[in-house]
Amino acid sequence: FFFSSTAAVGRAQVKQDPSTETSEGTEISINCSHPNIQAGDYIYWYRQLLGRAPELLVRGIKDTKALSDPPGRLSVAADRRSNALWLGQPRREDAAVYYCAVGD
């Protein structure tokens, strides 16, 4: 099944993988770059399931932050110019559009 991703573009010029495919239970990582991130900016990941409004999955500034549903983590690069959303055992119901955004 597919994981689509769309960048929320702003002053940080966010870019991310256009789409990724995996099978149920096989880990997946969606990458996002934001070279112009500011010192106080947070990194956000949203998920939009088919026919539903986007929901916030995780928000972070640096290092690694765990996700509980779906199980995974947000990993932010040391220079904060990129990050990755990692899902450890995605299920079919996790197939959605994933949005990376940067802001305060």
Side-chain angles (χ1 to χ4, degrees):
F1 53 98
F2 286 96
F3 286 72
S4 296
S5 60
T6 302
V9 179
R11 62 178 155 75
Q13 297 177 0
V14 175
K15 295 180 182 176
Q16 65 185 96
D17 298 339
S19 66
T20 307
E21 184 178 357
T22 190
S23 55
E24 191 165 22
T26 302
E27 67 182 43
I28 190 171
S29 183
I30 306 172
N31 301 306
C32 179
S33 65
H34 29 79
N36 299 325
I37 192 168
Q38 303 297 309
D41 284 346
Y42 282 87
I43 297 162
Y44 300 86
W45 277 94
Y46 295 87
R47 174 175 68 178
Q48 186 171 19
L49 299 169
L50 185 63
R52 299 178 66 180
E55 60 177 326
L56 178 64
L57 288 180
V58 65
R59 177 182 88 147
I61 289 185
K62 62 179 183 176
D63 303 325
T64 300
K65 189 163 187 179
L67 280 81
S68 56
D69 185 27
R73 66 177 176 265
L74 166 66
S75 298
V76 181
D79 64 5
R80 292 189 4 101
R81 293 182 179 185
S82 64
N83 76 81
L85 180 69
W86 179 83
L87 304 178
Q89 293 185 324
R91 305 156 296 189
R92 283 194 176 275
E93 54 265 31
D94 295 322
V97 177
Y98 288 76
Y99 298 90
C100 174
V102 171
D104 50 16

